[in-house]
Amino acid sequence: MTAPATTELPVVVIGAGPAGLAAAAHLIDQGIEPLLLEAGPTAGAAVRAWAHVRLFSTWGEVVDPAAEKLLAPTGWTRPDPSTYPSGGDWADRYLQPLADVLGDRVRTGATVTGVSRTGRDRIVDADREQQPFVVHVAHTDGREERVFARAVIDASGTWATPSPAGGSGLPALGEKAAADRITYRVPDLKDPAVRARYAGKRTAVIGSGASAFTALAYLADLAKSDDGAGTKGMWILRRGISGSTFGGGEADQLPARGALGLAAKAAVDEGHADAVTGLRTEAIERADDGRLVLVGEDGRRLDPVDEVIVLTGFRPDLSFLDEMRLGLDERLQAPVELAPLIDPNQHSCGTVYPHGHRELSHPEQGVYLVGMKSYGRAPTFLAMTGYEQVRSVAAAIAGDLESADRVELTLPETGVCGGAGLFDTPDAAEGDGGCCAPAPQLVQLGAPAPVGAAAEEAPAGGCCGS
């Protein structure tokens, strides 16, 4: 089969999450046809996996302008921009309606297994940039397909590839064998079966980002409930506790994000969780009674726990891009021009310099990593950053470099940027989410109050993942 002329081809967008759907909207705005390939059964499948967690970003910050423009003719209206959505609400009330508008441009159950240049493997230079991209796709019914594209935007995120418990970046010895007692996601303690798994149990939480804060706060809430007597958390930190451990607190320009850190601090202060500092997990051993024993690289052996929640961040899956000539930072696995701007050792969400297609480009012209995936292993991503990324990239693909280079973005400063909020009280669900919002208060975590909008969360290591 001969590939069509490049100008006749769509832009393939990998992933129908927040960034991927927004990319499609911006491409349409530029007069370019997108084709979205989503591995999950629905649009926003990864977001639905953390449907129970509430974002610390408001509705006003998680709706893309070009997407809203597409939705407007359907009668869709954005929920109250000052309220905080949960993952489930975000998916149901924004992502799915947007996918419905895009129609056949979105294909679900379609896993991308490889991307290359037509007739050119990675080492071939001759006439390379004139060849269209070829994308191999595996469907849930067993069919395999190849799709040709003029450009490829990878917005597949990092949700499917969580980092392990091991302090060296590798799984701890025994980690895989202990999989029956380990989870790599914030558990939904409103689910009766999940709640029973942790109620009255001793649970280790490994991680220091907002997702770890969320898990600690959930466990503390369970410990204070009628059916949770005896619930205890053990918070495993690879470093010590310092003034920045709990994020920006009352100084955070995202109030719900600051309140999340305060809630985690309260879990420790009130005795619902014990903090173990300076422990880098080397092994996870099985005790005689089936419980798990964490062993540090320094030889320390902790008391047995019933469950382990590993929230050490996420990393990009680059396996299907192996034939692409990517320019990635050796530490973060982010584009080399972007990496210094998002280094978590130097930046929070709000101190990231605005960036667009130039910082996201690679030696392989026409391929872009956007959204959570563009940040590699950095946990400082916000949805509004991804929306600005795809606006710039779509303009660049269309040849409108003036618009593509006009990158303007103001982000809320301070605090941690991984994970999401979980607050359902009126004080936390209202407010403008910006610099002038009321100072966050420590809130009680309980059954969710009805929210008149939708909701979003972000996976560990990301503010509102794609």
Side-chain angles (χ1 to χ4, degrees):
M1 176 180 175
T2 303
T6 302
T7 54
E8 302 172 2
L9 297 173
V11 171
V12 163
V13 180
I14 305 173
L21 291 166
H26 283 281
L27 288 166
I28 291 172
D29 199 43
Q30 291 285 348
I32 299 173
E33 192 66 15
L35 174 61
L36 281 77
L37 301 174
E38 166 59 47
T42 64
V47 174
R48 292 182 184 279
W50 40 265
H52 57 291
V53 184
R54 190 168 300 280
L55 281 171
F56 50 58
S57 295
T58 64
W59 270 112
E61 297 161 336
V62 298
V63 173
D64 176 79
E68 189 167 11
K69 180 180 175 181
L70 268 185
L71 285 164
T74 71
W76 184 90
T77 56
R78 179 170 56 180
D80 184 345
S82 68
T83 59
Y84 295 90
S86 72
D89 290 338
W90 201 27
D92 289 339
R93 302 187 64 178
Y94 168 63
L95 300 179
Q96 189 58 54
L98 180 53
D100 292 342
V101 169
L102 292 169
D104 292 341
R105 298 182 178 100
V106 180
R107 298 184 189 175
T108 57
T111 301
V112 172
T113 59
V115 180
S116 188
R117 290 280 190 177
T118 304
R120 306 290 187 273
D121 64 22
R122 182 171 178 152
I123 67 173
V124 176
D125 291 333
D127 199 29
R128 184 178 187 87
E129 292 181 3
Q130 282 65 53
Q131 303 305 313
F133 292 94
V134 59
V135 180
H136 283 210
V137 184
H139 296 272
T140 51
D141 61 4
R143 290 182 301 114
E144 291 184 305
E145 178 187 13
R146 64 175 182 172
V147 176
F148 297 103
R150 61 187 289 184
V152 174
I153 299 175
D154 183 358
S156 59
T158 57
W159 177 251
T161 47
S163 295
S168 300
L170 302 172
L173 300 179
E175 183 172 345
K176 294 179 180 178
D180 60 316
R181 290 178 180 258
I182 300 176
T183 184
Y184 298 85
R185 307 288 191 264
V186 176
D188 180 4
L189 298 185
K190 299 182 185 73
D191 182 314
V194 176
R195 191 176 183 86
R197 175 175 175 175
Y198 295 95
K201 305 292 179 59
R202 185 175 177 84
T203 300
V205 178
I206 304 176
S208 59
S211 289
F213 293 173
T214 304
L216 289 166
Y218 276 176
L219 291 171
D221 186 46
L222 177 59
K224 291 180 281 189
S225 68
D226 292 340
D227 62 340
T231 303
K232 184 77 172 184
M234 179 189 293
W235 187 19
I236 311 300
L237 292 140
R238 294 172 178 172
R239 300 173 183 170
I241 293 180
S242 66
S244 62
T245 297
F246 298 99
E250 295 186 4
D252 200 313
Q253 292 184 18
L254 287 177
R257 185 175 66 190
L260 179 56
L262 294 177
K265 185 177 187 299
V268 176
D269 291 345
E270 295 171 4
H272 299 301
D274 296 325
V276 179
T277 60
L279 189 132
R280 307 184 76 83
T281 307
E282 181 178 73
I284 300 177
E285 300 177 356
R286 184 87 64 168
D288 293 340
D289 61 1
R291 293 190 295 168
L292 303 181
V293 176
L294 303 185
V295 182
E297 292 178 351
D298 57 4
R300 275 186 291 169
R301 300 173 62 84
L302 304 184
D303 291 337
V305 296
D306 299 285
E307 300 286 342
V308 177
I309 303 174
V310 180
L311 300 168
T312 53
F314 292 81
R315 52 187 59 179
D317 177 9
L318 301 167
S319 60
F320 58 87
L321 298 174
D322 194 49
E323 291 303 314
M324 293 287 91
R325 298 175 176 181
L326 302 181
L328 298 175
D329 178 74
E330 67 274 10
R331 291 183 304 145
L332 297 182
Q333 294 179 295
V336 291
E337 295 297 324
L338 176 61
L341 308 180
I342 62 172
D343 185 344
N345 295 302
Q346 304 293 329
H347 298 282
S348 76
C349 298
T351 62
V352 172
Y353 187 80
H355 59 275
H357 74 107
R358 295 193 185 278
E359 291 83 1
L360 297 169
S361 65
H362 294 275
E364 192 79 67
Q365 294 184 25
V367 62
Y368 300 92
L369 278 58
V370 301
M372 278 290 297
K373 191 158 188 178
S374 72
Y375 273 42
R377 299 193 184 198
T380 49
F381 182 76
L382 284 172
M384 62 184 85
T385 303
Y387 295 157
E388 180 62 13
Q389 286 180 343
V390 297
R391 185 205 63 77
S392 175
V393 166
I397 292 173
D400 185 359
L401 293 184
E402 180 180 356
S403 176
D405 288 335
R406 190 176 63 251
V407 182
E408 300 175 359
L409 183 63
T410 301
L411 295 171
E413 297 181 8
T414 76
V416 295
C417 296
L422 42 68
F423 304 101
D424 298 303
T425 64
D427 286 346
E430 298 174 359
D432 66 16
C435 308
C436 301
Q441 303 296 315
L442 187 60
V443 295
Q444 290 293 325
L445 308 174
V451 182
E456 166 219 333
E457 177 234 57
C463 296
C464 41
S466 58

